[in-house]
Structures are given as structure tokens and as C-alpha cells.
Amino acid sequence: MKLKIYRLPILAVALLATIFSCSEDYLEVDPSGQFLSGNYYANETEAFAGLVAEYDFMRKNSGGFENMVTMMNAGSDDHYAGGGNSTDGAGIQSFSNYTLNAIEMPSSFWSDYYKGIFRANMMILKLPDVPMDETLKARYMAESKALRAYYHFNLVRLFKNIPLFTAPVDPAETYNVVQSTPEEVYAQIEIDLLDAIAGLPTTLNSDELGRFTKGAAQAVLGKVYLEQGKKAEAAAQFAAVNGTPGATSPYGYKLLANFNDLWQIDNKFNTESILEVTHTNLSLAGWGNAYNDDAEGNMICTMVGPRGFVDLDVNDNVPAYSSGWSFNPIIPELYDLLKNDPRFEATVLDLKALSEQGKIQYSPGYQDTGYFLNKFAPTVAEEHTGAGDMWLNHRQNSYVIRLADTYLLEAEALNGTGTRAQALLDAVRARVGLPSIPVSMDNILAERRLELAGEGHRWFDLRRNGKLQAKLASRGFVSGKHEIFPIPYKELENTKLVQNPNY
């Protein structure tokens, strides 16, 4: 099936009302049957169900085997692909060693985001005629535009040459779709986000956590501007989000005092969280439906966990880690950079040292270094024993954007100069007890590497700053080709879409 997302208007609208709860307590809607496209969104309840369905594809960040974080980590200079062997996940392996082609390119990085765009477009089309409170309607419209922009943004920065959709496409026209220019896509993203910002709330009630706010949309817009080199515009958006460095921002954001608290699983939606993906251990996901929309667990946890972990420490000084699949092993260079940094313990699980001390055993995976990503390392205490499979139902949320990220992005947008850029860099370092260093583009990029290690940002940071070739040539990176992904082959077949250059 080619461009399968665009054939959804016939089949998927009937399924749209089969809504999947997005967390334990957030954005929960009970399924209420199925509706045909002609009468769907007949009332406020159905509109809310449709809105929840739009948010499903935010989980692409950390849900499913083909998630953004572990994929982008694998292609960076901080991690290898890892896993069981050199063929364990053809897409992630070939991205890591820069042999990725259109056949091996995981199609979900294309199709999942277009599914989200389809759902947003359906809402935007239908919402004006729904009999409901006009203020609430305006908010749903703003959220739908923010989500459509976010999904388009991920597509254009991954693939560059993509179709732009601002309305549902007739199934008969599916094969006639052509790509827009990146400039056209970015222009629409900016329009959507500016419209959304005007209609989004600044804060959320406790039962709304996980939804877009004004600050989240401005942070995404800042990233959109920065990706295009519009640094002045990016800095302005980030400044509105960040406020005074180190203080509580106008939107209520504030760096956590303790870096380790960012990775406490129950510390969800904390003051540093700007945009966060919700996960739950209560879904029924098993191997039969592991990658469907109702699989709501955080798969990073399973993917980065060590294989065959055994605790041999009779004094119980070693946390009881759960076994995983050993993806994204940390390379020695990053280990060496972090080993004297206050963020080391929260970031790196050093099983090499524990194994040499006789405190643990594990089964080395492919490209094993002995260094694992501790930010998402699964523990026995968090194992799920319900109806779903434990490996598919980790409940740790993931950050799409957090405040330390936007601090450093604003400093970058300011070209790494000036008192404000210095204050932003200082605030990130002071939070972990590090002294001030002179602000510069190199020092900002180095700080992002340590602060955000393993969170999926490093590869984009290198590309944005023109450093992919220098850092990844030894892995096979070829300038002029590997800055973007190939479009998956099955999305091209019998269509008017054109493959990206050199693939």
C-alpha cells in the first residue's frame, strides 16, 4: 500500500472514534463506538475524542521500536545502534553506519506523522460545524494547528522534500500527490503555530497535562525558526518561553534544582517540562499489537536496557535493573566527557565497571561498550505485571522539549555572544554545580551534548551547525546525501513523489 495515510479518509474515520487513552490520568476518553465520516464530530464529546486521537502520534518520540529518540541517537556520534546483532532492526543499523536506503528506511517515520496530520486536518475541517462552546472550539482548533505544524516539522526536517497537506485528500487523488518545496512547508508551519499560539492556554489543569500550551507552541516555533537559520526570530520566541535565566518564566517554567529529578519516573510534568509525551503501564499492548496506536508504553526503556542483567551484589548496592535489548550503547568518547561531570550518574549506567567489580552480570549485545543510557534504563521496580507485556508498557514519560534545551537554543540563536547568552549558559551549568565558562558557539554545543545526552537532539545539533561530516565521516557519512533520510520506497511506488538526491 503506497502513501497509506492518505487513504484513511475512507477507512480510518470510522476508526477515529476508537480512542486510545494516552496516560494513566491525562487525556483519557472511553471508547464510545464507531462513527461514519458523515456524522462524526456530531457533538463536543466526539470532538474531544477526535482531539485525543490527534495526540496519539506524539508518542512517535519514544513509543514503538521505531521511535525518534533511539533512531536519532543511533546516527549520532554519541551512540552506536547496538541491539542483538548487525541485522537487529535494519533501519536503525543502517542509519548508524550510513548505509540507509529507501528499502530499509522504516516507513513509519513517514506514515505515522502523516496519520497525525490527517487527523488534525479532519478536525480542522469538521470543527466549525460542531455544536459546542465557541471558546472551547477555538482551543481545539489551536491545538489541531499546533499538532499539524509539529508533525509537518518532524517530516520536513527528516526528509526535507515532502507533500504539504492542509486538508484531507480525496482517495482518488492519492497517487497524484506531489512534494512541496521545503520553504512552502516551513511557511505553513509558521502560520499554523502563530495561529495556535494566539488560541492556546498558558497553563493546564491537572486533567489536561500532555496537551499543547502557548509556551510549548512558542518553543516549537523557536526550533522551526532556528532550523531555517532565522536566528533573530528564534531568539525572540525562546526568550518569551525562557524568561529571566535561572528564574521562573512567565509561563511558570523553571529549571529543577536537581538534575537527577528529571529522570524520576513519577516526576511527570515538572516545572522544566515544556512539551512531554505521556506513557502508561496500563495499556494492553502485547506482541500481537506491539506497534499499533494502542501500544502506549515507552519503548526507549526496553530498547536501551542491558541484555540478561543479573544482580550479584549481596549488599544490594546496585539498583535492580530490568533486562532490555541493549540498543544505543554510549561510545567511549561521550563516557570520557561525562565521567567527571555532575550529570554522569543520571546519564550513564556503567555496567562495565560493575561487571569488573563482580557486582553484576549481563550479556553483551552488538557493539557493546559496557556503557548504557541511564536516563531511560528500566528497573524491576517499574516492571508491569498486568495484562499487557511488561517490555511494551514502561510508564516513563519522555521530554520533547525541556527548559534547559530552550535555554541553550536561545543562546545559540544569539550566536553565542552577549550577556543574555552568557546568563543562559551559566544557568544550565549552575544547576549542576558547574562554574561559568565563556559563552561561545562551541561551548554551547558542548553543553548541549552533555546536558541532553541520549535524548535524541545531538544529530540535529550537528547538522544545524554544519558538523555532521567532521564528526561522522568515519561512520560512513557522506555530505550532500546523509543530511536527510531517503523517502521509504513503498511511499514512492506508483506515485508522483520524487526520491531525495543520491538515494
Side-chain angles (χ1 to χ4, degrees):
M1 184 180 292
K2 300 15 169 229
L3 286 169
K4 54 183 175 292
I5 179 58
Y6 308 122
R7 286 202 270 298
L8 287 174
I10 294 295
L11 300 176
V13 174
L15 301 175
L16 198 56
T18 306
I19 302 305
F20 321 112
S21 67
C22 292
S23 71
E24 299 104 310
D25 303 308
Y26 322 113
L27 287 174
E28 290 192 352
V29 176
D30 292 328
S32 54
Q34 295 182 337
F35 301 86
L36 299 176
S37 60
N39 62 16
Y40 193 59
Y41 304 140
N43 52 49
E44 182 178 314
T45 299
E46 292 177 13
F48 180 65
L51 180 68
V52 174
E54 291 179 57
Y55 276 94
D56 280 339
F57 298 100
M58 289 288 293
R59 287 200 301 269
K60 188 66 177 173
N61 192 61
S62 41
F65 181 81
E66 295 170 356
N67 64 77
M68 281 283 285
V69 171
T70 56
M71 182 70 165
M72 301 318 297
N73 283 349
S76 77
D77 60 338
D78 286 344
H79 303 267
Y80 300 123
N85 53 55
S86 62
T87 62
D88 191 0
I92 194 171
Q93 299 292 342
S94 56
F95 178 47
S96 186
N97 61 30
Y98 289 94
T99 61
L100 188 60
N101 57 51
I103 300 296
E104 293 179 333
M105 178 65 218
S107 62
S108 66
F109 286 95
W110 178 278
S111 62
D112 281 4
Y113 287 127
Y114 275 119
K115 290 176 186 177
I117 291 167
F118 163 74
R119 292 183 182 184
N121 280 336
M122 286 300 298
M123 176 67 77
I124 291 167
L125 176 67
K126 298 279 190 176
L127 191 59
D129 297 326
V130 178
M132 58 185 289
D133 177 79
E134 290 300 318
T135 300
L136 194 58
K137 184 185 293 187
R139 179 181 173 183
Y140 286 12
M141 183 68 75
E143 288 182 84
S144 297
K145 288 185 176 181
L147 287 163
R148 181 170 71 180
Y150 173 74
Y151 295 145
H152 271 125
F153 177 51
N154 277 330
L155 282 162
V156 73
R157 67 177 180 155
L158 289 175
F159 297 99
K160 187 176 181 179
N161 302 297
I162 66 166
L164 172 66
F165 290 94
T166 57
V169 175
D170 188 301
E173 294 301 314
T174 296
Y175 295 99
N176 293 319
V177 168
V178 297
Q179 287 133 307
S180 300
T181 67
E183 292 77 14
E184 290 170 330
V185 176
Y186 274 115
Q188 183 61 50
I189 292 170
E190 292 174 15
I191 290 169
D192 279 348
L193 286 171
L194 288 168
D195 286 349
I197 289 165
L200 288 168
T202 57
T203 59
L204 299 171
N205 296 325
S206 60
D207 60 347
E208 298 176 330
L209 301 175
R211 295 167 68 174
F212 258 93
T213 61
K214 195 180 298 289
Q218 285 190 271
V220 174
L221 182 56
K223 297 186 76 167
V224 168
Y225 283 141
L226 191 59
E227 193 72 20
Q228 299 174 82
K230 298 179 178 180
K231 290 190 173 183
E233 294 92 334
Q237 295 299 322
F238 290 133
V241 172
N242 294 335
T244 302
T248 302
S249 82
Y251 293 141
Y253 304 128
K254 190 177 189 334
L255 294 176
L256 295 183
N258 187 344
F259 180 81
N260 291 8
D261 288 346
L262 285 163
W263 314 108
Q264 298 300 313
I265 294 176
D266 289 319
N267 195 23
K268 300 185 178 190
F269 305 108
N270 55 67
T271 61
E272 191 164 337
S273 175
I274 295 174
L275 189 59
E276 183 170 328
V277 175
T278 60
H279 290 289
T280 178
N281 61 353
L282 300 179
S283 78
L284 302 180
W287 292 113
N289 62 343
Y291 307 118
N292 294 339
D293 294 342
D294 55 348
E296 297 175 0
N298 184 331
M299 279 294 288
I300 303 174
C301 301
T302 291
M303 292 183 73
V304 305
R307 290 174 178 262
F309 181 85
V310 179
D311 181 2
L312 302 176
D313 187 1
V314 295
N315 296 316
D316 293 326
N317 292 322
V318 177
Y321 288 101
S322 179
S323 293
W325 298 342
S326 71
F327 282 91
N328 284 173
I330 291 171
I331 67 170
E333 179 186 344
L334 180 60
Y335 176 92
D336 290 341
L337 291 170
L338 276 165
K339 65 183 178 183
N340 295 316
D341 189 281
R343 292 163 287 204
F344 175 84
E345 185 176 346
T347 304
V348 181
L349 173 57
D350 187 354
L351 292 192
K352 181 179 180 181
L354 292 174
S355 178
E356 290 172 350
Q357 295 164 18
K359 294 182 177 180
I360 63 101
Q361 289 180 348
Y362 74 99
S363 301
Y366 178 57
Q367 299 174 311
D368 177 63
T369 62
Y371 311 134
F372 294 80
L373 182 57
N374 205 24
K375 289 178 177 178
F376 295 101
T379 63
V380 172
E382 293 301 325
E383 285 186 357
H384 171 60
T385 56
D389 188 280
M390 176 270 293
W391 283 8
L392 303 175
N393 290 280
H394 287 287
R395 66 186 182 88
Q396 183 177 358
N397 285 2
S398 70
Y399 302 107
V400 177
I401 307 175
R402 59 182 178 90
L403 193 60
D405 180 14
T406 56
Y407 272 22
L408 295 172
L409 287 175
E410 184 186 348
E412 179 183 329
L414 293 169
N415 291 309
T417 62
T419 56
R420 182 166 174 87
Q422 183 70 65
L424 290 160
L425 176 60
D426 286 349
V428 173
R429 291 177 60 81
R431 186 260 294 276
V432 293
L434 290 172
S436 176
I437 57 174
V439 69
S440 68
M441 291 296 282
D442 285 345
N443 282 342
I444 291 166
L445 190 60
E447 197 66 33
R448 285 184 62 80
R449 187 178 191 182
L450 303 183
E451 171 72 24
L452 301 166
E455 297 178 53
H457 300 292
R458 175 66 175 173
W459 190 89
F460 292 111
D461 288 349
L462 292 175
R463 184 180 68 180
R464 196 172 58 250
N465 287 278
K467 295 183 181 293
L468 284 172
Q469 179 69 33
K471 293 290 187 179
L472 293 164
S474 63
R475 296 262 285 269
F477 180 90
V478 175
S479 182
K481 176 179 180 178
H482 291 131
E483 289 87 354
I484 54 178
F485 284 164
I487 297 171
Y489 174 76
K490 67 179 181 179
E491 304 296 347
L492 293 169
E493 193 176 15
N494 299 321
T495 74
K496 293 184 178 181
L497 300 182
V498 178
Q499 182 57 275
N500 281 328
N502 299 314
Y503 282 106

